[in-house]
Amino acid sequence: MIDTVAIKKTLTEHSRLSELDMEGIQFGSYYSDHMFVADYQNGTWSDCRILPFDDFRISPATSALHYGQSVFEGLKAYAGKDGQILVFRAIDNFLRMNKSAARMCMPALPEEVFMGGLVELLKTDRSWVPTDLGTSLYIRPFMFATDEFIGVRPSKNYRFIIFTSPAGAYYSEPVKVKVEKYYSRAFPGGTGAAKAAGNYAASLYPAKLAQEAGYHQLIWTDGLTHEYIEEAGTMNVMFIIDNKVITSKGGETVLDGITRNSVLHLAREWGYPVEERDVSVKEVISAIETGTLTEAFGTGTAATIAQIAIISNDGQDYTLPPAETREFSNRVLQELNDIKTGQIEDRHGWNVIV
Ligand code: COI
């Protein structure tokens, strides 16, 4: 049961829903009618409100724009049976957002603000949850520093916003990835485990270089030796080697992925050996060469499972077994989709029902 919070509602007089064309819609390019907003001032969160989705004015001195105190989350709502909306593992996003906020020296959000705002926003824009197979409503909660001050110190004021975006597939095909041996996404003592805006900013230039070389994304290696695999693009990464599910261990350089944890949970339930440990590039390449690596995929909210078709290492491309032959990742994708859309019993209590 979510504690309630007073939310003032101002509804749009011009819904844009009739303009929505889900055909070929690009991820993250179209937004639902309303947004939820709350402000942190004088040490408390207040002024919770639902407003028409719109631009807002901020000062050029807004501290988030200069020093990057900004964290976000991503989660999805699905159309279930009988008009229900199912939101996958929203509490985990709430908890992770507060961990990210703590690392970035930002205040914690009370559960009733995050969850109460989310539920009320989804009730308000219920008809924006797409129903076609493979579609969902992507939800973007985020918090940023709002002090109008360019001295370097933690802001005293913050804004929290949730808006939503109808979404289709994130990747339309299995991805080609390149092992990155120079640039780093994370390092011990850094912010790699936080969903902080700056982590994504710092990833863009190396990712652009990889794209110019013909790859979709990078495989990030550890910042100290570049010998161990940590993530793939904006996702966690997993390998099936010798029928075992292998992924880099969590900790301060790897995002505590909610899809990652769900996949590992199902793997253990199904009796697969699961190893969360250091995974070296050398081990993965040698498993490809000997044919013991049968699957490689990214896990994340946006894509759920993104099959990896090609891994490039030290200038050599390694082609992996075809995506349709991959027993574990195809099964886990189906199972997660079925849980998220209410096709099968939510035996773990992962869905929040609106
Ligand atoms: C995810 O898939 O979980 C992501 O973080 C991708 C998002 C930044 C678009």
Side-chain angles (χ1 to χ4, degrees), residues 21-291:
D21 178 9
M22 283 302 290
E23 195 64 36
I25 192 170
Q26 209 197 342
F27 176 89
S29 59
Y30 204 78
Y31 307 109
S32 315
D33 279 334
H34 297 91
M35 59 185 182
F36 171 80
V37 184
D39 286 315
Y40 184 84
Q41 285 165 334
N42 303 317
T44 55
W45 287 100
S46 62
D47 202 9
C48 294
R49 55 213 189 267
I50 283 180
L51 301 172
F53 179 91
D54 204 354
D55 302 346
F56 51 86
R57 288 171 62 97
I58 50 171
S59 160
T62 298
S63 76
L65 299 178
H66 300 268
Y67 307 123
Q69 266 191 302
S70 178
V71 295
F72 70 95
E73 274 301 325
L75 65 162
K76 281 180 171 174
Y78 296 81
K81 291 186 185 136
D82 307 323
Q84 281 183 337
I85 302 172
L86 308 178
V87 197
F88 189 64
R89 304 198 73 167
I91 307 287
D92 296 277
N93 290 92
F94 158 68
L95 295 171
R96 189 173 65 184
M97 182 137 185
N98 276 345
K99 279 193 197 151
S100 301
R103 177 62 185 85
M104 304 311 288
C105 215
M106 299 165 82
L109 274 158
E111 184 172 343
E112 61 271 21
V113 174
F114 186 102
M115 291 302 298
L118 175 64
V119 167
E120 203 49 45
L121 181 65
L122 290 175
K123 283 184 183 165
T124 308
D125 280 340
R126 179 176 281 285
S127 36
W128 281 83
V129 181
T131 50
D132 292 351
L133 193 70
T135 62
S136 59
L137 189 71
Y138 184 79
I139 303 167
R140 170 52 59 89
F142 66 110
M143 187 209 301
F144 63 99
T146 53
D147 274 11
E148 297 174 15
F149 178 66
I150 55 163
V152 181
R153 56 143 169 80
S155 181
K156 295 186 171 76
N157 298 285
Y158 296 85
R159 178 161 289 178
F160 172 63
I161 299 183
I162 311 176
F163 64 82
T164 67
S165 173
Y170 193 70
Y171 290 112
S172 52
E173 54 180 354
V175 292
K176 292 167 74 172
V177 295
K178 174 179 165 287
V179 177
E180 177 58 53
K181 297 274 183 65
Y182 177 71
Y183 294 101
S184 304
R185 195 198 82 90
F187 39 84
T191 58
K195 223 161 161 62
N199 287 345
Y200 293 77
S203 76
L204 296 176
Y205 179 66
K208 176 175 158 251
L209 296 181
Q211 280 150 17
E212 284 168 358
Y215 301 94
H216 293 97
Q217 264 301 350
L218 294 172
I219 288 208
W220 295 105
T221 52
D222 72 282
L224 293 181
T225 67
H226 294 294
E227 283 178 22
Y228 296 96
I229 289 173
E230 294 197 326
E231 295 194 12
T234 58
M235 297 174 289
N236 296 111
V237 63
M238 297 192 186
F239 304 94
I240 308 291
I241 301 177
D242 282 330
N243 253 338
K244 289 184 273 200
V245 183
I246 298 173
T247 190
S248 43
K249 59 179 187 283
E252 60 179 349
T253 57
V254 173
L255 188 80
D256 187 16
I258 293 163
T259 307
R260 170 192 189 273
N261 297 342
S262 310
V263 169
L264 298 183
H265 193 101
L266 292 172
R268 289 188 172 102
E269 268 184 11
W270 292 339
Y272 281 84
V274 171
E275 296 181 4
E276 296 178 70
R277 59 165 170 83
D278 290 340
V279 186
S280 71
V281 177
K282 216 163 142 192
E283 171 186 1
V284 167
I285 299 302
S286 123
I288 299 172
E289 285 173 336
T290 57

